[in-house]
């Protein structure tokens, strides 16, 4: 049985599929996150790259694709992008690489950046702290904390995160001299 877009893949099922070499495992996190920790055999095709090139994404193979991110959220967004491009044999690893690790899945570790969720927590926390501290001296600075709180609320309601998107553009979250065509080829070529 192959994965389908309507059925998320759990870590145990992914282990079976990887053992049978029946899938392409595509990690949609930033290159920095991918460099820090990745599932062996996965290829990095960042979500922003998929969004940017969605109109070019046609499969030249019959492989099933399982999408991975830190928790499943970005992989689900990537699934929607690929679905809109006409892809049908796509699944998402339920719980992402975090669930994979919790299930004792093998992870290759390297030097990279913090996970995007951790970067968002740090940035949001620093902005709120700055707003509160500056607000003791400059009354209007308190609105910085309110703005961040509103942004986090909007992110939760819409299941999107503008701060994560902005952070993904920072140099430490990008692969040095990355080749977008080569990254996309891991997904599209047979």
């Amino acid at each position: 049985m192959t994965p389908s877009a309507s059925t998320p893949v759990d870590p145990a099922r992914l282990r079976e599929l990887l053992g049978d070499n029946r899938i392409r495992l595509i990690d949609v996190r930033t290159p920095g996150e991918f460099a820090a920790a990745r599932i062996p055999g996965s290829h990095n095709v960042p979500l922003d790259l998929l969004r940017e090139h969605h109109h070019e994404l046609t499969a030249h193979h019959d492989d099933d694709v399982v999408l991975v991110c830190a928790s499943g959220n970005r992989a689900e967004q990537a699934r929607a992008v690929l679905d809109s491009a006409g892809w049908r044999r796509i699944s998402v690893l339920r719980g992402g690489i975090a669930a994979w690790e919790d299930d004792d899945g093998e992870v290759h570790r390297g030097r990279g950046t913090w996970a995007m969720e951790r970067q968002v927590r740090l940035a949001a926390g620093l902005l709120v702290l700055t707003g509160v501290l500056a607000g003791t001296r400059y009354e209007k600075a308190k609105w910085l904390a309110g703005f961040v709180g509103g942004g986090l609320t909007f992110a939760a309601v819409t299941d999107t995160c503008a701060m994560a998107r902005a952070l993904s553009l920072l140099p430490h979250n990008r692969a040095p001299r990355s080749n977008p065509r080569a990254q996309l080829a891991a997904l599209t070529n047979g």
Side-chain angles (χ1 to χ4, degrees):
M1 179 178 186
T2 58
S4 70
S6 61
T7 307
V9 173
D10 63 19
R13 179 69 178 132
L14 177 59
R15 198 174 278 108
E16 290 173 19
L17 293 168
L18 287 171
D20 293 341
N21 289 323
R22 294 175 25 203
I23 61 159
R24 287 183 190 229
L25 188 59
I26 304 296
D27 192 317
V28 300
R29 296 175 301 151
T30 67
E33 289 175 289
F34 182 77
R38 68 185 179 282
I39 298 173
S42 62
H43 301 277
N44 186 224
V45 183
L47 177 58
D48 286 343
L49 186 64
L50 288 176
R51 286 182 175 134
E52 183 180 335
H53 295 277
H54 73 277
H55 58 283
E56 304 168 28
L57 297 174
T58 56
H60 299 292
H61 58 79
D62 293 327
D63 301 343
D64 291 305
V65 174
V66 176
L67 302 170
V68 178
C69 68
S71 64
N73 184 28
R74 284 179 280 172
E76 191 56 47
Q77 292 174 41
R79 188 203 55 76
V81 169
L82 292 173
D83 187 57
S84 72
W87 288 58
R88 296 294 173 249
R89 298 173 64 174
I90 312 161
S91 292
V92 171
L93 175 61
R94 181 184 294 124
I97 197 167
W100 176 259
E101 286 187 282
D102 287 346
D103 197 48
D104 297 324
E106 182 183 356
V107 175
H108 286 175
R109 296 208 181 275
R111 295 185 58 137
T113 62
W114 286 354
M116 188 56 64
E117 288 82 2
R118 187 175 181 190
Q119 292 181 52
V120 168
R121 289 192 309 263
L122 176 67
L126 287 173
L127 287 170
V128 169
L129 182 61
T130 299
V132 170
L133 292 175
T136 62
R137 184 165 175 114
Y138 305 102
E139 174 86 21
K140 291 184 180 182
K142 69 180 178 189
W143 292 107
L144 177 60
F147 177 75
V148 173
L152 291 172
T153 301
F154 180 80
V157 170
T158 62
D159 201 20
T160 62
C161 187
M163 189 178 293
R165 203 154 192 200
L167 289 170
S168 72
L169 300 175
L170 293 175
H172 69 273
N173 282 321
R174 296 194 167 275
R177 290 171 269 155
S178 65
N179 180 343
R181 295 285 170 223
Q183 286 177 303
L184 289 170
L187 176 63
T188 60
N189 292 334

